[in-house]
Amino acid sequence: MDYTQITQQEEEQMLATIGVSSVDELFEAIPASIRCKEVLDLPPALSELELQRALREMADHNNGAHDMTCFMGAGAYDHFSPVLIDQLVGRGEFLTAYTPYQSEASQGSLQAFFEFQTQVARLAGLDIANASLYDGATAAAEAVLLALNATGKRRVLVADTVHPDTRTVIKSYLGDLPAEYIELPSSDGHVSAETVRSYLDNDTAAVMIQSPNVWGLIEDSKGCFDATHEQDKTIAVAVFNPIASAMLHSPGACGADIATAEGQPLGVPLSFGGPYLGLFAARSTFLRKMPGRIIGQTKDVDGRRCFCLTLQTREQHIRGAKATSNVCTNQGLLALRATMFMSTLGTNGLREMAEQCYHKAHYLANQIAKLPGFRLTFEGPFFNEFCVTCPENVTAIVEAGKRRGILVGVAPSGRRMSSIGNPNQLIIAVTEKRTKKEMDSLVNLFRTFTEGSDKVTS
């Protein structure tokens, strides 16, 4: 795309075409009192070469998993992605952020979405999945809306161990609806079945539990969802990690009726925060109430296997009164990446990835827990992420890590995490990409902060 502004001659031609003599005349419909009269405070124009150099210098200030050893997680993870995915997804027939409508969609695209749905349903342990949503947080919010619509009840119980961004999005969705949002309090990093049971009533539409939760801990999902189902028609909603599902019990096996997830771990680059991919699966009971699109398999007039957009529940496609969601598109290109990722790794590869995450995280957690002044904040099983309480405010540790080329983790007391923790806590994530040498380097960095040791200064 040419970034150069239009020329004076082109501007005059455009004004002449629409029948005005100047830009001032073009904007005269805007009251003069609110028009900007000052010259914009912009730096001098740059040549393309100078502009590229300036942008490169600005980009160099970014630090991320591309140039540092990454132990950050809390919802976005530095997983390995086979290079063939970039090669395949970059082909001309795929490379568009636009999601084609029925008449535009090729059989190849439809089949890819169908495979995506199949793989997500298997990971979730549920009957059906849609062709993706925007991201994990909006997928969770859509699950809540489905529960409200399907049950006619008004209360939603969300564990306070669900990621704070997800909870914020849900509250935003419910802001103008006649619905009551209630957070289930946790104890020692977990939400118990007894807590779920104590908050349930006849008007509870859904109970949402995330596992592994925001602290990395594996919740008693089965216990919580069994308690949920003691209330007639109340829907159990699981927020899950798709990599962990290759190793742990699936949401469906734990009793979830709906499962949502952030699909970024499935071959989607970190990209400094997005765009990402929402996964949504459910029991077949909710087929006609699911948001987004569902691709179905059928046969053409010659009996050949083919695919089509089967269900779409937004008002543009069905009568408004029967619409269940205003979701208007899916993350087609990222869903395709996820499909390629899962197909490339296969069942065994995905499980091996999950096992490597698990074992490496537990090695690192054990090494850190041996350091004087450091301890694991919570007890209980975890997958690839855990919270550490440090001997001092983690700000100095985070900065020391950056000086050594290590992103040591996410501070739960920070703005990114809505200040859910205290200043001495650090959430550390370990993926299959981390080596023993990298984990030992992190332990050595922490060791310099142990009681009686000198602080890192460079």
Side-chain angles (χ1 to χ4, degrees):
M1 177 185 292
D2 185 359
Y3 76 95
T4 310
Q5 270 283 13
I6 60 173
T7 65
Q8 182 67 31
Q9 183 181 12
E10 289 170 329
E11 180 180 307
E12 291 172 355
Q13 289 174 344
M14 293 169 69
L15 292 172
T17 299
I18 60 176
V20 295
S21 60
S22 66
V23 173
D24 286 338
E25 185 181 349
L26 175 66
F27 292 128
E28 69 179 1
I30 301 173
S33 60
I34 61 172
R35 281 191 234 165
C36 178
K37 300 181 179 62
E38 299 79 18
V39 177
L40 294 177
D41 184 18
L42 296 175
L46 301 177
S47 69
E48 183 173 351
L49 175 62
E50 291 171 325
L51 182 61
Q52 287 182 0
R53 185 180 295 129
L55 292 175
R56 190 161 49 245
E57 288 173 354
M58 292 171 64
D60 287 342
H61 289 289
N62 288 325
N63 291 129
H66 63 288
D67 63 351
M68 288 189 172
T69 303
C70 183
F71 289 96
M72 298 182 75
Y77 300 91
D78 180 29
H79 284 291
F80 170 71
S81 180
V83 69
L84 70 86
I85 294 174
D86 289 330
Q87 294 297 316
L88 290 174
V89 85
R91 289 176 62 93
E93 58 266 48
F94 297 134
L95 191 55
T96 173
Y98 175 70
T99 302
Y101 281 72
Q102 173 70 74
S103 56
E104 308 159 325
S106 69
Q107 280 298 298
S109 295
L110 292 171
Q111 182 174 359
F113 293 145
F114 181 82
E115 301 293 348
F116 170 82
Q117 293 171 182
T118 304
Q119 292 164 330
V120 171
R122 286 176 178 169
L123 279 177
L126 291 167
D127 305 321
I128 47 176
N130 69 13
S132 84
L133 293 171
Y134 298 120
D135 55 28
T138 51
E142 289 290 343
V144 168
L145 294 183
L146 189 159
L148 291 169
N149 290 332
T151 63
K153 300 180 179 181
R154 297 292 91 192
R155 294 175 81 235
V156 176
L157 308 182
V158 179
D160 71 0
T161 53
V162 172
H163 195 289
D165 289 352
T166 303
R167 285 183 274 144
T168 299
V169 171
I170 293 173
K171 284 186 277 189
S172 297
Y173 267 57
L174 300 183
D176 292 323
L177 297 177
E180 185 180 10
Y181 172 92
I182 298 171
E183 288 191 355
L184 297 171
S186 59
S187 174
D188 198 25
H190 296 84
V191 170
S192 68
E194 289 70 26
T195 300
V196 172
R197 200 170 279 113
S198 66
Y199 276 77
L200 276 173
D201 67 11
N202 288 333
D203 199 31
T204 303
V207 174
M208 178 178 288
I209 304 291
Q210 176 179 328
S211 183
N213 65 26
V214 68
W215 302 110
L217 299 169
I218 298 172
E219 296 271 18
D220 176 21
S221 297
K222 188 172 189 315
C224 290
F225 292 153
D226 284 347
T228 299
H229 290 140
E230 290 173 10
Q231 196 63 242
D232 187 36
K233 295 183 179 179
T234 300
I235 294 173
V237 181
V239 177
F240 72 106
N241 178 325
I243 301 295
S245 252
M247 174 181 165
L248 306 177
H249 291 304
S250 68
C254 293
D257 302 301
I258 302 172
T260 67
E262 174 52 66
Q264 180 274 325
L266 301 175
V268 177
L270 286 167
S271 303
F272 296 104
Y276 288 164
L277 165 70
L279 312 184
F280 192 107
R283 299 196 186 282
S284 57
T285 313
F286 304 115
L287 174 63
R288 293 185 178 276
K289 296 187 179 298
M290 287 176 63
R293 307 170 179 212
I294 295 176
I295 311 301
Q297 177 178 273
T298 184
K299 292 181 180 179
D300 66 11
V301 293
D302 297 319
R304 296 174 299 185
R305 183 192 189 213
C306 61
F307 304 89
C308 65
L309 277 166
T310 304
L311 288 173
Q312 296 182 98
T313 56
R314 64 170 169 159
E315 74 279 6
Q316 186 174 334
H317 297 93
I318 60 177
R319 282 193 295 127
K322 289 187 175 295
T324 58
S325 170
N326 284 323
V327 167
C328 62
T329 189
N330 64 342
Q331 294 286 59
L333 189 63
L334 297 181
L336 183 63
R337 283 193 71 97
T339 307
M340 292 175 175
F341 176 86
M342 290 184 280
S343 300
T344 302
L345 266 67
T347 303
N348 293 336
L350 206 58
R351 183 177 177 88
E352 180 182 340
M353 178 177 280
E355 289 178 344
Q356 285 202 33
C357 292
Y358 176 87
H359 291 298
K360 289 181 177 181
H362 283 72
Y363 166 80
L364 180 59
N366 289 333
Q367 296 302 309
I368 293 174
K370 293 175 184 175
L371 298 174
F374 286 81
R375 63 178 177 83
L376 298 186
T377 307
F378 304 111
E379 295 182 352
F382 62 92
F383 174 55
N384 72 329
E385 200 164 20
F386 53 91
C387 185
V388 170
T389 299
C390 305
E392 60 181 80
N393 189 306
V394 298
T395 302
I397 300 176
V398 170
E399 292 304 317
K402 289 181 180 177
R403 291 193 291 272
R404 290 192 179 192
I406 303 174
L407 298 170
V408 300
V410 175
S413 60
R415 186 177 61 179
R416 176 189 165 188
M417 298 297 288
S418 302
S419 304
I420 60 171
N422 71 51
N424 283 28
Q425 292 175 337
L426 196 61
I427 298 175
I428 298 172
V430 186
T431 70
E432 73 290 339
K433 287 179 69 175
R434 298 288 71 84
T435 65
K436 182 175 182 298
K437 181 180 178 181
E438 291 172 338
M439 291 187 285
D440 290 343
S441 294
L442 181 63
V443 175
N444 288 334
L445 171 67
F446 285 174
R447 186 172 287 114
T448 63
F449 284 86
T450 56
E451 295 170 353
S453 297
D454 294 332
K455 304 292 182 354
V456 173
T457 57
S458 62

